[in-house]
């Protein structure tokens, strides 16, 4: 069963509460990345993506706050290809738990 999340609801799964799973969204699909807590949890190298839609930042290989969004406008073909590679990795490694509304 797929759950619909608003951006505000997704933020509750940013890893700050150890009793909750860690979620992040790529192209609107919400993945449970809890098994990657060392990367996505507090202090992890990708913690800024936890509880957020990270598509733009992943495509641009950016950790810049301004890029952490689902806005794909203006991305180059190369950046869209990088995003597709990330999406394939997420699909192979983490379960989809819902969609970002």
């Amino acid at each position: 069963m797929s759950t619909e999340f608003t951006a505000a609801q997704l933020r509750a799964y940013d890893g700050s509460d150890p009793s909750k799973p860690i979620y992040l969204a790529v192209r609107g699909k919400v993945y449970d990345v809890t098994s990657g807590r060392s990367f996505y949890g507090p202090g992890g190298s990708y913690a800024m993506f936890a509880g957020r839609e990270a598509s733009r930042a992943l495509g641009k290989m950016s950790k810049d706050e301004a890029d952490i969004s689902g806005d794909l406008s203006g991305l180059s073909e190369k950046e869209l290809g990088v995003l597709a590679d990330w999406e394939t990795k997420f699909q192979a490694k983490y379960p989809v738990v819902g969609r970002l509304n």
Side-chain angles (χ1 to χ4, degrees), residues 8-11 14-16 19 25 31 38-39 41-42 44-45 57-58 65 67-68 70 74 79 84 92-93 97-98:
Q9 289 168 328
L10 186 60
R11 289 293 284 175
D14 66 358
S16 60
S19 70
Y31 294 87
S38 61
F39 298 108
S45 52
L58 291 170
E65 180 67 28
D67 288 326
I68 304 174
E79 289 167 335
K93 192 168 184 179
V97 294

Side-chain angles (χ1 to χ4, degrees), residues 36-75:
R37 184 175 292 278
S38 61
F39 298 108
Y40 301 105
S45 52
Y46 297 109
M48 72 288 302
F49 300 149
R52 316 269 301 270
E53 165 47 270
S55 296
R56 182 177 192 81
L58 291 170
K60 293 183 75 165
M61 298 293 287
S62 167
K63 292 183 181 179
D64 187 331
E65 180 67 28
D67 288 326
I68 304 174
S69 76
D71 179 11
L72 303 181
S73 62
L75 291 185

